[in-house]
Structures are given as C-alpha cells and as structure tokens.
Amino acid sequence: MRKFASVLIALAAMALSQPASAALQVDVNQGNIQPLPIAIPDFVAPAAADAAAGQNIAKVVRADLERSGLFKPLDPKSYIDQISNINVAPNFQNWRVITAQGLVTGQVAMQPDGRLRVDFRLWDVYGESQMLGLQYFTQPTNWRRIAHMVSDAIYQRITGEKGYFDTRIVFIAEAGPPLKRVKRLAIMDEDGANPSFLTNSYLVLTPRFNPTAQMIAYMSYITGKPRVTLFDLETGRSEKLGDFPTMTFSPRFSPDGNLVAMTLETAGNSDVYVMDLRTRKSTRLTYDPAIDTAPSFSPDGKQIVFESDRGGSQQLYVMNADGSNQHRISFGEGKNGTPVWSPRGDLIAFTKQAGGQFGIAVMHPDGSGERILSNGWEDEGPTWAPNGRVLMFTRTIRGGRGSQIWSVDVTGRNLRRVATPGDASDPAWSPLIQ
Amino acid sequence: MKKFAVGPKLAAAVLALFVVGCAKEPPPPPPAPAPVAAPAPAPTSQIIPGSAEDLRVNVGDTVHFEYNQYSVLDADKATLQRQAAWLAKYPGIKVTVEGNADERGTREYNIALGAKRANAVKEYLVSLGVSSARIDTVSYGKEKPICSESTESCWAQNRRGVTVIASGANS
C-alpha cells in the first residue's frame, strides 16, 4: 500500500559560490506580508526523454510555493533568460528585470541504474549568490514527491520554518444527496494529487494519522455499532480498536504513537479514555456525567486538551495525561470545541460557535491570546500542518449544500479552498513523510 | 384484536394511551418509494401487526428534543408509552433507539449528544417496564438528517430519537 519508495538526498557540495548571508528571507510572523517573487523555470533535461519530468517537477514546485501564500511564482512567459546549464551562475540582471528576488534552477537526468537524478539550486537574485543546492535520486514514478521535497527545502531555506508539502491528508470523501450522504475514508497528497478511497460506502468519521503516517484511527459504523477502528496503510486492513460493549469515538494518537485517546460512551454518558496500543489496556481519565470528548495530546505527550459541557456549555479543558488537574481554559464568547494542540506546542486550535457562526480560532494553552482565523456558517474541526503554521478544516455550506476542506495560515491570512475530488470533510494532516 | 396477557395496571395504561393516541396527530409517514410498475401501495388497514410499518405508522417511532437538550419532552411521553405497550404486546421484538442531533453543533459533540438522547428514550421505555436487554442504542450525531434546510423547523425535525426494530418483527 505504501507508495513512496525511499528517496536518497545528497547534500552535495554543489556550491558555486559561498552561501549568501541570508538576505533573501520571508518573515512568516508578520501580519501582512508581500509574497516573495520567485522564478522557477522548467528543470533542464539534457536527454530529451526526461523533458516532461523536468517540466512537471517545476510546475508542482511553483504550485506548492504559490499555495503557501508566502511566494509569488512568476509567469514563465515573462522570463528573459532560458536556463540551459545549472552549473554556471545565472545572469542575475535578467532575473532582476522581471522582478524575481529568488531563482530556482534544476536539472533531471535518468541514471543508468533506472533511477532519476534531480538537482536544484536556489539563488538570491539580488545577493547574486547560491542559497541552497541539493541532489536527489529516486524511482521515476516518485517525481511528485521529489517536487514536494524541493518545495520544502526552498520554503525552509527562505522562511526558517520546516516545510509541509511532502505530506498527505486523510479525510472523509462525501457524495450523494444531503439526506442520503455516503461518507468514505480517503487519502490524498497535500496538494490534492493521488486521491484514493480506503473504505467502501458506509459511514466513517474523524480520521487521524499516527506519528509515522502509516496508521489511521477513525470512527466506523460498518457493523452498525460505531467503534474506533484502525486502518493500516501498509496492509490496507482495518481492525476494531479494543472490545468495548458500547460506542467509542473521537480517537487521537499520542505523539509517540503508543496511545490512542478516545471517547467511550456508557449509558449515554461520554468520557475520555486512553488505550495503550502495546498492552491494549484502557484507562479512564474523566468521570463527569457531562459530555467529555475530543481529546488531543500536547506534543510532549504530558497533557491532553478536550471539550466538556460540565460547566453548562461546551468549553475547552486541559488535564495531565493521567487525568489529573482538569481545568477549563476557554472563557471567551460562545461555545468552544474540537481542540487540537499545535505540533509546536504554542497554540491550541478549536471550533468557536458564537453569534450564529462557526469559526476556527486559536489560543495559547493557558487560554490567553484568542484569535479568530476563519468565520463561516459552519467551519469546524481544525488540523495542523506538521510545522504548526497552517491549518485545514471542514467548511459546510448552509442548507445541506455540501462540505469542503479549506486551509488558513495561523496568522489568519491565505484562506483558501483545498482541492478535493468532490465534497470532503474531517481533514487530518500527516506528519512529514519519512 | 388478539388477546395478550397483561397485568390490570398495564392494561389500563394501554387503554388510556389509545385515547391519547387517537387525539394526537400521528407523525407523517416517510415519503413513499418511487412507484415501480403495477401494484398499488398497500392500504393502512393491511399493515401487519408487529411489523416495522406497524411501529412507524400506528404506534409512532419518533420523539423530538429541544436544542442541546436530551430530556424526553412531555409531549412525546404518549408516543413512548405507546411504544412500551406495543413492545409488551410483541415480546419477541428487540429495538434500537437511534439518537440524532441537528447540524448546529460540532461533530463529536453531536455524537455524544445523540447518545444521551437515545439513552433518555431507552430509560423512559425501561421505566415503563420494557426490559433493558431488549433496547439497544446508537448515536448518529448530525450524520443522518431527515431535513436538509438550515432552518429552525428542520433542526427541530432532526433533533430526534427513532425507535427501530432490530429483530423479531412480524412480516
């Protein structure tokens, strides 16, 4: 099932000149930034047979960087120069004329052993220096992954933050009329490419990746008795998690992948439990007669944020991973639910219901600094990019007119719809693929 | 009507309920399937006693809830009393109570809320003498609406508990 063969990266001694003092950079923390103009010509293919690969890789890199909202890839038609040899310094003046501040040059070449070799260099057009040079070897069918890895390397070199393009999204693919909705487990690359269905037509909800992106925990109605279920991407097999007499739902892996926090309903009452995947023993963490659900671990695994209406309305609470020290952290307007702890640890994203609207918001784990990132008829269920800078969520259109996946920068900028094959909901972002 | 053994107390309750039942407007039947060829739909008089249709049409399978609440409403107690009486009449039948929520809540919360609603219906039926072993529950949260408009009237229809036959029905 796993499509990705290993990719060799050579941090080759490719520098033609000394690395520049980082003149070319994007400060991702500024509230309002101008996207950085960057030129990414098609990668050079010394053998005509490799030309398509060179064009495809450059196209995916341009799309990745544009989608981030931090870069403005320039129209290739505006280029004055053609790149024919990536081992000589470009004519910087001709790239400055078209307003490029960054320039990516690359080359693809099929090797005698059947692997594809991809080289690229990132240039600071004004500093007239090379910022980065990398080399990859991979199976030719892997060219999309190489393109995403090139995008990640450029993003990291210029922003100082790790990229998130070489990732996948597991989600619920929706089809059919509003009253007869079919929901299937599906997976795709972060840019919407390579979509595939993982389950047949029965109700499934709320999928989440484990930290190696090899396992998905989700809620399945396949037996008529809804239970948390594990899907192994390697084997394509599903397995009910645990043997509970009543409903289990809202699963979430611990950062080390050994535990699954979830909700167990007993006689109508929902409480948070943790199951150890090694021993299959479960531990109850909450004992309140109110609704306790939607647990999410802090990145150090020591705390869990969850939602509860024990105080009279749905709000966010934090507890230690053993269930001790349960305390409310959300005190703002409205109701707050579906919390997810950022992989960086600094923020918790959640769904805010106030004034007849559902929006995505973030706050610090102590409840301070609440900021609204999106507002819609029904925006809900955020998930974090592995670098903690971008969120995806479900946007449901009023009047039963379907669900879509949207993304937004943690600053609130760059709100845009994510390409999906048809209606989609409940996205979960994978870690960077290993 | 077929005779069945009930205690005098329950028989009185059943009788009283029939009165209530007549006064109350029965819930609207679900839309009929698209007509296929010849046979006309069976008239209500031909509903088989103890069947799923009997429960739906003659007893009433659905109760409703207030926004974000899960207590059984006084207005719905008659329906559940009819269900309890009907279940007493057909002791071989097991049911599942399906709890549902409107769209104005987050996904996991609505699953939990639907479970509370299904359980509230179950507890009420048990309080009327139905064995808890005959009643299973399931929550669909906001995943199974019967009305798709984003209006208060649709939301009220979707906030519901539905008693469906799991096994033992006459057919």
Side-chain angles (χ1 to χ4, degrees), chain A residues 170-247:
Chain A
V170 62
F171 64 101
I172 300 301
E174 301 192 10
L179 301 184
K180 290 208 180 295
R181 215 67 176 142
V182 172
K183 296 196 170 193
R184 301 165 71 183
L185 189 63
I187 193 168
M188 64 184 186
D189 295 350
E190 185 270 342
D191 62 353
N194 295 319
S196 66
F197 295 116
L198 303 178
T199 62
N200 292 324
S201 303
Y202 49 86
L203 182 60
V204 291
L205 300 169
T206 62
R208 327 286 190 203
F209 275 111
N210 80 339
T212 63
Q214 287 299 298
M215 190 83 84
I216 296 161
Y218 64 106
M219 184 194 192
S220 167
Y221 281 78
I222 189 170
T223 65
K225 297 178 185 303
R227 296 290 187 274
V228 169
T229 303
L230 299 180
F231 187 97
D232 186 333
L233 282 166
E234 199 93 47
T235 64
R237 284 202 200 100
S238 280
E239 169 209 359
K240 189 174 70 172
L241 178 59
D243 188 22
F244 299 98
T246 47
M247 176 171 70

Side-chain angles (χ1 to χ4, degrees), chain A residues 179 183 205 208 221 225-226 267-268 270 289 291 307 309 314 335 338 356 358 377-378 380 398-400 426, chain B residues 67-68 103-109 111-113 115-116 119 136 138-140 142-143 145-148 150 155:
Chain A
L179 301 184
K183 296 196 170 193
L205 300 169
R208 327 286 190 203
Y221 281 78
K225 297 178 185 303
S270 294
I291 290 172
E307 64 174 61
D309 64 358
Q314 184 186 10
K335 297 194 279 188
T338 74
F358 283 46
W377 169 248
E378 203 171 292
E380 70 170 305
R398 183 170 188 162
D426 288 7
Chain B
Y67 172 70
N68 209 17
E103 64 173 333
R104 301 311 279 162
T106 49
R107 198 172 315 286
E108 296 91 332
Y109 186 87
I111 290 167
L113 181 58
K116 278 192 182 285
N119 189 65
D136 202 357
V138 67
S139 172
Y140 289 111
K142 59 176 168 179
E143 310 304 324
I146 53 169
C147 184
S148 66
S150 294
W155 297 332

